[in-house]
Amino acid sequence: MSIQQAFPPVGPAQRCACADRAAAIGCVMAAETSSVPVLRRLACRVVQQWHLPESVEEAVGLIVTELASNAVRHSGSEDVALNIVSMGDQLLIHVQDFGRWQASDACEPSEEACSGRGLDLVAAFAAHCEIRSSSEGTRVTAELLLPEPIQPGCEICG
């Protein structure tokens, strides 16, 4: 399900054509509770700078909060990494930890984890969600489908 199907856009239904170019940003922080809102604010600021609609910003904020919180809470990792990649009509959000999910946790990361509890929200916003675990940690990728760009000549891109 795409973000547009799950939640109607709050702002403009289209994005600026200048947002079509590929872009990426990454950040690594200590896997501490205080890092989660910092990562959320960074992600939202990036979405604003890339001239994406408010509805995308809201979705990205929620997804980053949920995935970073899970990494901090369950992985035992010292660090958590956030990467956001914009490629035309999609936005990829990658959250990576470098630990091993604690054996005492009720749910191990798995392909099915995108449909469980708090991750239901991620799945509602994301067109696709994938979790990959290895001995180096867990990487969760959420893919958002972006609205069609408006024609060149908008107030942002001229």
Side-chain angles (χ1 to χ4, degrees):
M1 173 181 290
S2 75
I3 185 173
Q4 293 81 18
Q5 293 169 329
F7 297 90
V10 175
Q14 297 178 319
R15 62 192 164 95
C16 176
C18 61
D20 256 352
R21 61 187 178 270
I25 189 162
C27 179
V28 178
M29 295 192 71
E32 300 172 352
T33 305
S34 60
S35 296
V36 174
V38 175
L39 291 171
R40 179 184 58 244
R41 284 191 301 272
L42 170 68
C44 290
R45 191 166 303 132
V46 165
V47 168
Q48 291 170 1
Q49 289 175 350
W50 289 349
H51 307 291
L52 297 173
E54 260 185 66
S55 58
V56 174
E57 179 184 344
E58 292 171 9
V60 168
L62 183 140
I63 290 169
V64 168
T65 299
E66 179 63 30
L67 298 182
S69 294
N70 285 346
V72 166
R73 190 176 310 123
H74 300 294
S75 72
S77 177
E78 290 185 21
D79 297 311
V80 60
L82 169 67
N83 289 294
I84 303 172
V85 181
S86 175
M87 300 184 313
D89 66 347
Q90 64 179 332
L91 189 73
L92 301 175
I93 302 165
H94 307 283
V95 174
Q96 168 85 42
D97 67 60
F98 306 96
R100 306 250 333 154
W101 280 45
Q102 307 303 310
S104 62
D105 291 338
C107 71
E108 289 286 321
S110 68
E111 291 299 321
E112 292 80 32
C114 281
S115 63
R117 296 191 195 160
L119 291 176
D120 280 340
L121 290 172
V122 174
F125 280 100
H128 180 71
C129 181
E130 179 177 83
I131 299 175
R132 293 185 183 233
S133 295
S134 71
S135 59
E136 288 86 37
T138 301
R139 180 182 177 117
V140 182
T141 301
E143 174 190 351
L144 298 180
L145 299 179
L146 299 174
E148 290 295 321
I150 57 178
Q151 296 300 315
C154 74
E155 62 187 53
I156 297 169
C157 51

